Amino acid sequence: MDFLLDEDQLAIKKMARDFVNEEIIPYAREYDEKEEFPFEIHNKLREFGLYNFALPEKFGGPGIDKISHAVIVEELARGCAGITTSVEANSLASYPILVGGTEEQKKKYFGILADGGYSAFALTEPSAGSDVAGMKTTVERAGDEYILNGEKCFITNASYANYYTVLAKLKDAEGSNKFVALIVDRDSEGVNVGPHEKKMGLRSSNTASVTFDEVRVPAANRLGEEGEGFRIFMKALSYARPMVGAQALGIAQGAYEESINYAKERKQFGKPIANFQAIQFMLADMAMQIEASRLLVHKSVWYVQQGKPNIQASSFAKCYASDTAMKVATDAVQIHGGYGFIREYAVEKYFRDAKIMQIYEGTNQIQRVVIAKDILAD
């Protein structure tokens, strides 16, 4: 058991931190205010090898271990969680292909990402968020094709994705439902993308709905067998949730660092507010919660690295780290007082970005359901 990053991981962490300090933090506020997708920053991230972390090296990925992946995600989210969410959307959409895809599918679709493309993970629906089994998007087999109908919402990178990994229900001749995972090309006839959603946070990340109207998808684009779609997507989420924890950790770390610096500089009653025990206790709690979150995230990522994603560990990491991000960001605004409520100060953005971490890729209430089911099982 070793809690230390090795030399390569430390070098990767430093490179990511330097990039964030120079290329993201100075511009994050501008993109957030304009609600624009920062293509230039994404292109620079690709140039530095800070992209497509889920892709195996032979398919154009950076060839890093999963701990390094988590470290980079934490550093990127410290700079801007919106940008990080769009970066990780490529990873999220890649996991179903990693889990259930053929070598031909991996070569084709990972190649698109390696060449500068985007992808999107299409699971959530207007009436089916936490209740995945209640989804209404359907596919019907028609010879060598599937006909896809339905709507997905809150889809990251929807407007710019070259393809979508989609979960739908298959209606067979007997009327029973099975889940099917498909890769759907953006330029397929019948694929329509809605307007960009106006969000509380993650404003530099693209989010939109996608509708499928009689879309014909080649059977060759099916992931796994008919009926295996739900398992493929749930396993994909077990790979992804630790990285949501890493994003939340980055938000918390950024808010904490801003609070430390502000507390040392801000004076009241003739001395820095860092001298007051009330502030010291808040900062101490932040430090403890962040460290506990980091340990949970790294443990869950370690399981993924061993090829054995652990559902309980993933839920621990995602749930605890995102709760920590919300708590730390809230306290950071409190430490900043009135200035924390002003957009000029970074903690205002950390606060807005933190909330979604408790919601997407499985709400924290669902994480607790998953944990309870696991700990109560025989």
Side-chain angles (χ1 to χ4, degrees), residues 7 54 133 144 161 174 196 201 211 218 241 251 254 262 265 273 290 299 306 320 324 374:
E7 290 185 6
D144 292 332
E174 299 176 356
H196 171 63
T211 56
R241 280 175 180 154
I251 292 171
Y262 183 83
E265 296 171 359
I273 62 172
I290 289 170
K299 181 180 179 180
Q306 303 307 306
Y320 190 85
T324 293
D374 193 65

Side-chain angles (χ1 to χ4, degrees), residues 249 252-253 256 280-296 320 324 328:
L249 182 57
Q253 182 68 34
Y256 167 69
Q280 292 174 354
F281 281 7
M282 293 172 76
L283 294 171
D285 284 343
M286 287 180 179
M288 284 191 292
Q289 291 158 5
I290 289 170
E291 185 64 12
S293 297
R294 186 172 288 113
L295 290 170
L296 285 171
Y320 190 85
T324 293
V328 169

Side-chain angles (χ1 to χ4, degrees), residues 203-219:
R203 292 178 179 174
S204 58
S205 174
N206 173 257
T207 307
S209 62
V210 184
T211 56
F212 305 101
D213 183 12
E214 297 291 304
V215 177
R216 291 186 172 270
V217 183

Side-chain angles (χ1 to χ4, degrees), residues 13-281:
K13 179 181 176 68
K14 183 180 185 304
M15 179 184 71
R17 177 164 279 251
D18 289 345
F19 182 94
V20 166
N21 289 343
E22 296 171 12
E23 303 290 347
I24 293 183
I25 289 178
Y27 310 105
R29 172 63 62 181
E30 176 185 353
Y31 284 109
D32 179 80
E33 291 283 352
K34 294 180 178 179
E35 301 189 42
E36 289 183 0
F37 191 86
F39 286 105
E40 184 177 352
I41 292 177
H42 284 278
N43 291 336
K44 287 182 179 179
L45 283 164
R46 293 178 192 273
E47 292 173 10
F48 277 76
L50 299 173
Y51 225 93
N52 293 325
F53 306 117
L55 270 58
E57 189 171 11
K58 70 176 182 177
F59 295 115
I64 59 174
D65 62 278
K66 301 309 291 184
I67 296 292
S68 296
H69 181 172
V71 166
I72 293 170
V73 169
E74 177 186 340
E75 289 298 333
L76 294 182
R78 183 183 62 87
C80 179
I83 292 171
T84 311
T85 294
S86 287
V87 170
E88 276 299 277
N90 269 14
S91 296
L92 178 58
S94 298
Y95 291 131
I97 301 175
L98 280 172
V99 172
T102 64
E103 286 298 299
E104 291 76 17
Q105 289 170 336
K106 292 174 184 176
K107 183 177 180 180
K108 177 181 178 179
Y109 289 100
F110 289 167
I112 292 172
L113 302 186
D115 289 340
Y118 297 94
S119 59
F121 182 86
L123 176 61
T124 302
E125 298 185 3
S127 60
S130 298
D131 179 18
V132 176
M135 69 169 50
K136 296 180 180 178
T137 297
T138 62
V139 288
E140 293 183 80
R141 188 68 183 255
D144 292 332
E145 296 178 316
Y146 289 98
I147 300 175
L148 176 66
N149 284 283
E151 180 183 2
K152 301 292 184 178
C153 65
F154 308 142
I155 307 303
T156 302
N157 286 1
S159 300
Y160 307 116
N162 298 88
Y163 64 88
Y164 309 94
T165 50
V166 181
L167 185 65
K169 282 183 176 179
L170 173 71
K171 290 191 174 181
D172 62 25
E174 299 176 356
S176 63
N177 290 326
K178 299 177 182 178
F179 286 96
V180 179
L182 297 169
I183 305 171
V184 182
D185 294 308
R186 166 65 185 276
D187 59 5
S188 301
E189 185 176 352
V191 175
N192 297 289
V193 179
H196 171 63
E197 300 285 1
K198 298 289 187 178
K199 307 188 295 292
M200 175 195 296
L202 306 188
R203 292 178 179 174
S204 58
S205 174
N206 173 257
T207 307
S209 62
V210 184
T211 56
F212 305 101
D213 183 12
E214 297 291 304
V215 177
R216 291 186 172 270
V217 183
N221 279 27
R222 186 188 67 223
L223 297 170
E225 300 298 324
E226 290 184 357
E228 292 185 344
F230 186 83
R231 178 191 64 81
I232 289 170
F233 264 62
M234 292 306 102
K235 190 169 184 180
L237 285 171
S238 72
Y239 283 101
R241 280 175 180 154
M243 296 308 169
V244 178
Q247 288 185 59
L249 182 57
I251 292 171
Q253 182 68 34
Y256 167 69
E257 291 176 10
E258 290 290 332
S259 298
I260 287 280
N261 293 334
Y262 183 83
K264 289 179 178 179
E265 296 171 359
R266 173 67 167 169
K267 291 184 177 180
Q268 290 288 276
F269 306 103
K271 53 186 174 182
I273 62 172
N275 288 12
F276 299 120
Q277 193 175 67
I279 301 298
Q280 292 174 354
F281 281 7

